[in-house]
Amino acid sequence: MPGQVVFEHEDLLRCRFAVSPLWETLAALHTLFEPHRQGFHLPWVRTARLPDHVDLSPARLLFPRPGYVPDFLSPPPAGPLTSFEDGLTQVRSTPTDRVASELRACLLDPRRGLPASMTDPLLADPGDTRDTLADLLATCWEHLVRPYWPRLRALLDADLSLRAHTLARNGLAALMTDLDGRLAWDGHTLHVAGPSAAERLRLGNRGLLLMPSAFVWPELILVGEEPWQPTLIYPVRGVGELWSPGEPSAEALSAVLGRTRARILTHLVVPETTRNLAARLGLAPATVSVNLSALRDAGLLESWRAGREVFYARSPLGIALAAQDP
């Protein structure tokens, strides 16, 4: 992974954010395969289940550590609202010559030393392998990610709203350095701490795509190869709260605020919209809206508008109150 991302003037104008359900599905598989990534996701690991007949061995072969993962499995999202189905359509339409080239780069890497008995079945018919992997991704989405997507999407959307708020109030430098503690910004170069810190990636007026991810934790991934727009995939803020049933203080707060308002206050770890918070809590948006207004009027929340959306976050008083132990 390059350690320095060099911006030109046009690149600063072409930075954008996106969320990719297909990427989250691949990253969820990575999390199942690698115990060191499961720390925050153990509740999900314990409950997410695939049908017994699903064979994950092709995915295991194509997710080397370290090594190259075929890019056609995770096409870059075209925009912030790209659906899983849109991404999967791109996978299925990948030309077979490109599939074959990327499969060879992954499976025939001499550092891996895989026997022909393992690689030949995947290399023999690239088109069939592509379609088999697309079917596997569809199954993984259906069983591993889709049941949890409202909660995941709410957290990802909250991160995007927070970044937009940071950019509007404090500028690009604050945005970049706030994304992750391993990033530093000097005005024209983004420095990524790590073993490849001497390598440079020049954006060349393509801009930088910034993509929060729940399942990428604890890694920070910088993609510089085509067909991706240069992309930084970073751990979403608040991932430690993703599977939490709620703060331990909610029960005590409910005696003062009422159960619904206590739940709302303790779940607002990062800024949220009414719609996203309702999805996370399993409440009607109208119910959440009324209680958000009451909490804001009491000085426990702050709110601001970004386009058509209104975002809510704890005020200093709300943070102090939610932090109290029962």
Side-chain angles (χ1 to χ4, degrees):
M1 180 177 74
Q4 299 177 33
V5 184
V6 182
F7 287 70
E8 299 174 15
H9 176 72
E10 291 295 322
D11 295 312
L12 298 175
L13 304 177
R14 292 176 180 171
C15 292
R16 65 185 179 95
F17 283 90
V19 168
S20 171
L22 178 58
W23 168 270
E24 288 301 310
T25 303
L26 257 71
L29 272 177
H30 272 289
T31 299
L32 284 182
F33 295 158
E34 300 179 353
H36 79 276
R37 293 176 62 161
Q38 295 178 4
F40 285 140
H41 300 295
L42 281 177
W44 171 81
V45 171
R46 295 188 182 110
T47 59
R49 292 289 181 272
L50 285 168
D52 292 339
H53 69 272
V54 175
D55 180 14
L56 292 179
S57 57
R60 290 183 182 273
L61 282 177
L62 296 174
F63 291 172
R65 175 69 66 181
Y68 168 72
V69 177
D71 289 318
F72 77 87
L73 293 173
S74 57
L81 301 179
T82 299
S83 68
F84 175 83
E85 291 73 20
D86 291 338
L88 196 65
T89 297
Q90 290 180 265
V91 173
R92 294 189 188 279
S93 63
T94 308
T96 54
D97 57 347
R98 182 183 151 205
V99 173
S101 174
E102 293 186 4
L103 288 175
R104 288 194 299 270
C106 175
L107 297 171
L108 301 183
D109 185 337
R111 296 173 298 176
R112 302 183 67 188
L114 296 175
S117 59
M118 297 176 68
T119 61
D120 285 354
L122 294 176
L123 294 172
D125 187 339
D128 181 67
T129 298
R130 175 200 60 202
D131 295 341
T132 298
L133 291 169
D135 291 342
L136 177 59
L137 288 173
T139 299
C140 290
W141 161 255
E142 192 66 30
H143 293 276
L144 298 181
V145 179
R146 185 179 179 183
Y148 310 96
W149 187 242
R151 177 180 288 202
L152 287 161
R153 183 69 202 231
L155 187 69
L156 295 167
D157 283 349
D159 185 277
L160 296 185
S161 70
L162 176 67
R163 307 308 175 187
H165 188 54
T166 300
L167 179 62
R169 295 189 65 176
N170 302 313
L172 185 63
L175 168 68
M176 291 297 186
T177 55
D178 192 54
L179 291 176
D180 192 276
R182 290 163 286 188
L183 300 174
W185 172 255
D186 66 10
H188 59 82
T189 301
L190 183 66
H191 300 269
V192 185
S196 302
E199 298 183 24
R200 296 170 70 86
L201 170 63
R202 295 188 177 276
L203 297 180
N205 295 323
R206 293 172 293 171
L208 184 65
L209 174 61
L210 301 166
M211 201 164 82
S213 170
F215 287 106
V216 76
W217 181 91
E219 298 179 38
L220 185 67
I221 296 178
L222 186 61
V223 182
E225 297 81 14
E226 298 287 349
W228 282 81
Q229 177 185 3
T231 300
L232 180 69
I233 305 167
Y234 62 91
V236 66
R237 182 165 179 167
V239 66
E241 301 290 332
L242 179 59
W243 310 115
S244 171
E247 297 282 344
S249 56
E251 183 177 348
L253 285 176
S254 66
V256 178
L257 301 176
R259 185 172 182 272
T260 299
R261 291 175 188 174
R263 288 183 67 201
I264 289 173
L265 185 64
T266 55
H267 275 77
L268 272 174
V269 178
V270 295
E272 300 253 23
T273 64
T274 301
R275 174 177 55 85
N276 289 343
L277 191 58
R280 287 190 66 190
L281 297 178
L283 297 172
T287 299
V288 173
S289 178
V290 168
N291 286 283
L292 283 170
S293 296
L295 290 168
R296 180 188 59 196
D297 293 345
L300 300 178
L301 298 181
E302 298 174 345
S303 66
W304 63 89
R305 180 174 293 277
R308 297 181 179 180
E309 298 275 21
V310 177
F311 296 91
Y312 294 85
R314 295 173 186 167
S315 68
L317 178 59
I319 292 171
L321 185 60
Q324 298 301 310
D325 292 328

